[in-house]
Amino acid sequence: MTLTPPPLSNDCFALPQGVDWTPVDQALALLQERLGPVTSADTVSLSEALGRVLAEDAVALRSNPPQPNTAVDGYGFAGGRPEGAQVLPLQEGRAAAGVPYGGTVPQGHALRILTGAALPEGVDTVVLEEDVRTDGQSIAFNGPLKQGANTRKAGEDVNAGEVILRRGRVLTPADLALASATGLSNLVVRRRLRVAVISTGDELVEPGQAAGDGQIYDANRPMLLALMQQFGFATVDLGRIQDDRAALAAALDQAAEQADVILTSGGASAGDEDHVSALLREAGAMQEWRIALKPGRPLALGMWQGAPVFGLPGNPVAALVCTLVFARPAMGLLAGAGWSEPQGFEVPAAFSKRKKPGRREYLRARMRSGCAEVFKSEGSGRISGLSWAEGLVELPDGAMDVAPGDPVRFIPFASFGMS
């Protein structure tokens, strides 16, 4: 089965009339409301399903366990036993996992039974081997023992016909174990989201090349490509493009042919050399979101030949924050995995800060001795702070005075899917 969703509309990123500055929550709500899956669905084997997004619910074909069985090595019989010494004659033979006992165990008799074995007719209770003495003819143990002790019921984990995995789930190794245990060999999943990454700017040079005056090494593209791979997306590296409108247009054409989503960095504002926003504006599908956050106010959003474009700021710190806060949940929707809210934790601050009202702020942070400490500088040019950090401290839109020990919200990078 191959299922292809409808394309996005050219105005899917349009802001409501009269909106200028966009609060973070409003921007996220607009993305959540207007985006949906753009990837087709196909059926793959379990060996190919790891990290893929389920396109439809997975339903158990078989119960787990398929029949009652024993949870321990021991001796099985029918019914519980009261307090005191118990002696039962031992039935010849045994039951083992994959080698069931073919007969019926008479009432008042016991049978040797091993972990995972199906309970034979006449057995509903098992006494642990360690609690038993035997002479080969009988067993002796002390009660009490409840009826059903040390056994598992058929379907006590999953029943046949039950939904075991919901569509939109990113499949884990444990999910594949559950699917296999319930009789599934194939799953209907979405094709991996393909993300094209482009860096723009005359000032950029490749790592390892000689850098002239006024030039810097391209830090964004290696970071963004690696980040997309950690998110489970397929990447298309379209390199760095100089500040040349025709060259950038050609790169966007190539990106739209090869990818589902286009991620650019630099050129997203309204300056003379901000060609990403200029090209999207010429195509009639440009929305410049001036988002009330720090770092990373300008975010150019639009469509290029049917592919959504996320125009990130050129500063690496702002580019990473905008990717984690906005692009990551949006691309989850595009990939069919649904909207993901990063999990944050209220922890004591290990820093002081006076925050002005008007913008939400994200500080590079890490946890030490149970408290969140922040990077020594808030300068968005300090790329070393990204490597130093283990997550972000999110400060709300309003004014705030933070003193050591005050509660703040810490969001680990892992909550965004970044390790």
Side-chain angles (χ1 to χ4, degrees):
M1 183 194 77
T2 299
L3 180 66
T4 303
L8 298 174
S9 64
N10 268 351
D11 63 351
C12 66
F13 294 122
L15 292 171
Q17 195 71 23
V19 170
D20 185 14
W21 282 95
T22 308
V24 171
D25 288 339
Q26 183 178 346
L28 292 173
L30 285 170
L31 291 173
Q32 187 173 5
E33 175 188 344
R34 296 181 181 175
L35 298 182
V38 298
T39 51
S40 58
D42 204 357
T43 300
V44 302
S45 66
L46 295 186
S47 63
E48 301 174 284
L50 181 63
R52 303 289 288 274
V53 178
L54 265 184
E56 61 180 42
D57 293 347
V59 178
L61 296 179
R62 190 187 196 205
S63 296
N64 184 51
Q67 54 195 144
N69 66 75
T70 175
V72 298
D73 291 342
Y75 297 86
F77 45 87
R81 288 295 184 272
E83 188 172 355
Q86 309 292 323
V87 177
L88 299 176
L90 192 59
Q91 189 77 359
E92 186 177 349
R94 71 172 194 173
V99 187
Y101 181 74
T104 299
V105 178
Q107 179 68 33
H109 289 63
L111 179 75
R112 175 71 168 144
I113 193 166
L114 304 181
T115 302
L119 297 183
E121 189 77 24
V123 171
D124 59 18
T125 305
V126 176
V127 61
L128 275 76
E129 180 176 348
E130 295 87 342
D131 295 336
V132 172
R133 286 185 177 177
T134 181
D135 59 5
Q137 302 297 316
S138 300
I139 62 169
F141 62 94
N142 287 315
L145 193 67
K146 291 183 179 179
Q147 185 174 14
N150 302 312
T151 64
R152 307 183 184 106
K153 297 177 181 178
E156 72 174 24
D157 181 23
V158 175
N159 285 309
E162 184 179 339
V163 174
I164 56 170
L165 300 167
R166 295 288 180 183
R167 69 176 180 176
R169 183 175 178 85
V170 179
L171 293 166
T172 68
D175 295 336
L176 302 184
L178 178 59
S180 182
T182 53
L184 298 172
S185 59
N186 298 298
L187 294 169
V188 181
V189 299
R190 292 195 175 273
R191 176 179 47 77
R192 289 189 189 276
L193 188 75
R194 299 168 302 184
V195 182
V197 178
I198 302 173
S199 287
T200 68
D202 287 339
E203 74 278 13
L204 299 179
V205 294
E206 291 292 305
Q209 293 183 350
D213 291 342
Q215 291 186 311
I216 59 174
Y217 292 112
D218 184 2
N220 282 344
R221 210 168 86 251
M223 175 180 71
L224 294 173
L225 286 167
L227 198 54
M228 295 306 107
Q229 292 169 6
Q230 284 196 343
F231 292 161
F233 305 146
T235 57
V236 180
D237 182 2
L238 292 182
R240 56 184 178 84
I241 307 298
Q242 293 181 320
D243 289 321
D244 179 287
R245 197 161 299 186
L248 180 57
L252 291 173
D253 288 343
Q254 183 181 355
E257 289 180 3
Q258 298 182 13
D260 306 299
V261 183
I262 304 171
L263 205 59
T264 70
S265 60
S269 193
D272 293 343
E273 300 296 340
D274 289 319
H275 297 298
V276 171
S277 52
L279 284 169
L280 291 174
R281 194 173 291 109
E282 289 174 7
M286 162 67 183
Q287 296 295 326
E288 184 179 3
W289 287 20
R290 299 172 66 198
I291 301 173
L293 89 158
K294 179 183 178 181
R297 282 180 292 182
L299 188 63
L301 298 171
M303 301 291 292
W304 188 268
Q305 297 184 12
V309 179
F310 291 82
L312 302 170
N315 182 284
V317 176
L320 179 67
V321 169
C322 285
T323 299
L324 296 181
V325 175
F326 298 105
R328 173 64 185 97
M331 288 189 288
L333 282 175
L334 297 170
W339 187 264
S340 60
E341 297 278 355
Q343 184 178 17
F345 303 90
E346 191 173 274
V347 300
F351 62 94
S352 300
K353 178 176 171 61
R354 172 164 290 182
K355 179 190 172 297
K356 296 179 180 179
R359 287 200 287 171
R360 185 168 302 184
E361 294 190 19
Y362 292 91
L363 309 178
R364 287 152 282 177
R366 65 184 186 184
M367 293 296 299
R368 291 294 183 271
S369 301
C371 298
E373 60 181 40
V374 297
F375 191 55
K376 59 187 177 182
S377 169
E378 293 183 23
S380 55
R382 303 288 289 271
I383 304 176
S384 62
L386 296 178
S387 179
W388 173 92
E390 298 168 349
L392 301 172
V393 161
E394 180 186 62
L395 300 181
D397 301 351
M400 186 177 186
D401 286 338
V402 180
D406 287 348
V408 292
R409 186 171 188 244
F410 174 73
I411 310 174
F413 283 144
S415 289
F416 295 104
M418 170 184 168
S419 58

